[in-house]
Each structure stands twice: as C-alpha cells, then as structure tokens.
Amino acid sequence: MASSPAEHPVACQIRYIKGDLFSCPETDSLAHCISEDCRMGAGIAVLFKKKFNRVQELREQQKKTGEVAILRTGERFVYYLITKRKVSDKPTYGNLRKCLEAMREHCIRNRVTDLSMPRIGCGLDHLQWEKVSVMLEDVFMNTQVRITVYSL
Ligand SMILES: NC(=O)c1ccc[n+]([C@H]2O[C@H](COP(=O)([O-])OP(=O)(O)OC[C@H]3O[C@@H](n4cnc5c(N)ncnc54)[C@H](O)[C@@H]3O)[C@@H](O)[C@H]2O)c1
C-alpha cells in the first residue's frame, strides 16, 4: 500500500553560503525581519530599503506582528517578516514562527521554489541561530521551497 506524505516527511535542508545576500540569483525570493512601522533604520533592513524602497506600499499593507508584508519585483517576492511592534522591541520565537508560517503559505500558493535570506532575527534582534534554523527547517518541511542562508 502506498504511504502518505505524512508518514515520510520531506526534510527541508538549508543551504549555507558565505557572502552578501544580494549576490543571490535575481530570481530568488528574499526574506528579512522588520517592525510594524516599516522604518528599516538599522541592520540589513537598511539595504532592503535602499534596494527596493516602496516603503509606503509596505505600510499600506498594515501588517501586524506575526504577519508578512510582501512586494513583488520582477520574478521574485520580497518578504518583510513583521516580527515585532516597535523597532526597540525584541521579537519572540513564537512571533517569528507565525511570520515564517505566513510566508510558507504565500510561497506554496505562488509556487516559490527558491528563497534566500540572512540569519534572520539573529543580528540586532539577538535570537539564536541554532533555534531559528531548526524552526525554519520545521516550518518548511514537506514544501518545495529551497532555502539558502547567506552570512558575511
Ligand atoms: N533602530 C532601528 O532602526 C533598528 C533597531 C533594531 C533593529 N533594527 C532592524 O533590525 C531588525 C532585524 O534584526 P535581525 O537580527 O533580523 O537582522 P540584522 O541584524 O539586520 O541582520 C541579520 C544578520 O544578517 C547579517 N547581514 C547583514 N548584511 C548582510 C548581507 N548583505 N548579507 C548577508 N548577511 C548580512 C547580519 O550580520 C546579521 O547576522 C529589524 O527590526 C530592523 O528594522 C532596526
């Protein structure tokens, strides 16, 4: 008898690259973390703001903590994980997980197969990569999404 996918989960294996996130293929979708106000005044968020701008468009989506604001640009989507209310807050693992689940649903609906990101939440926001990477693998298990993580 054929077994169901639930009996044989397809693991999500994160690929690691040392280098600048923005050197990834132009067709990869991108993800990073911001706060509800979309200020993007520090960290890698500043580079996203410089490259994609469209901050007003992001604000108009009025996304709250645990949700994800999204821009489409060319072949790719850019995911802004809203992990906290204010810039000065720190995200919780629970809220980061909600954001990742929201992003996963969008990736599935839109057939996103390649997603690149930095070590999300683990710079200025002080989460631990050992925990975040396990969460990422868990949330994206049984999907067709290949995740590449860039670090400098
Ligand atoms: N005052 C402020 O505006 C303020 C304060 C706190 C945090 N932030 C920002 O930082 C928060 C996100 O924190 P975070 O820990 O998720 O992210 P982060 O600290 O910006 O970066 C995550 C990781 O990516 C690394 N990194 C930076 N540039 C690159 C690059 N080009 N390629 C690959 N890796 C790179 C960085 O070293 C860090 O380990 C957001 O809320 C954002 O708005 C802003």
Side-chain angles (χ1 to χ4, degrees), residues 64-116:
K64 299 290 175 215
T65 303
E67 300 177 335
V68 59
I70 305 166
L71 295 180
R72 183 174 188 143
T73 165
E75 291 291 297
R76 64 168 37 150
F77 293 98
V78 187
Y79 295 103
Y80 297 76
L81 309 177
I82 314 288
T83 55
K84 55 189 187 180
R85 198 165 69 78
K86 290 185 297 179
V87 159
S88 54
D89 293 342
K90 289 283 174 262
T92 63
Y93 288 101
N95 284 332
L96 176 61
R97 190 180 182 101
K98 285 184 192 159
C99 293
L100 292 175
E101 289 171 349
M103 177 165 69
R104 175 192 61 201
E105 293 316 301
H106 186 275
C107 286
I108 292 171
R109 277 201 308 278
N110 293 278
R111 297 192 173 80
V112 170
T113 54
D114 294 277
L115 179 59
S116 285

Side-chain angles (χ1 to χ4, degrees), residues 57 115 129:
E57 209 178 312
L115 179 59
W129 182 248

Side-chain angles (χ1 to χ4, degrees), residues 23-41:
S23 67
C24 78
E26 293 267 319
T27 46
D28 279 18
S29 286
L30 297 170
H32 73 124
C33 302
I34 64 167
S35 45
E36 286 181 20
D37 53 24
C38 303
R39 278 218 338 242
M40 297 188 268

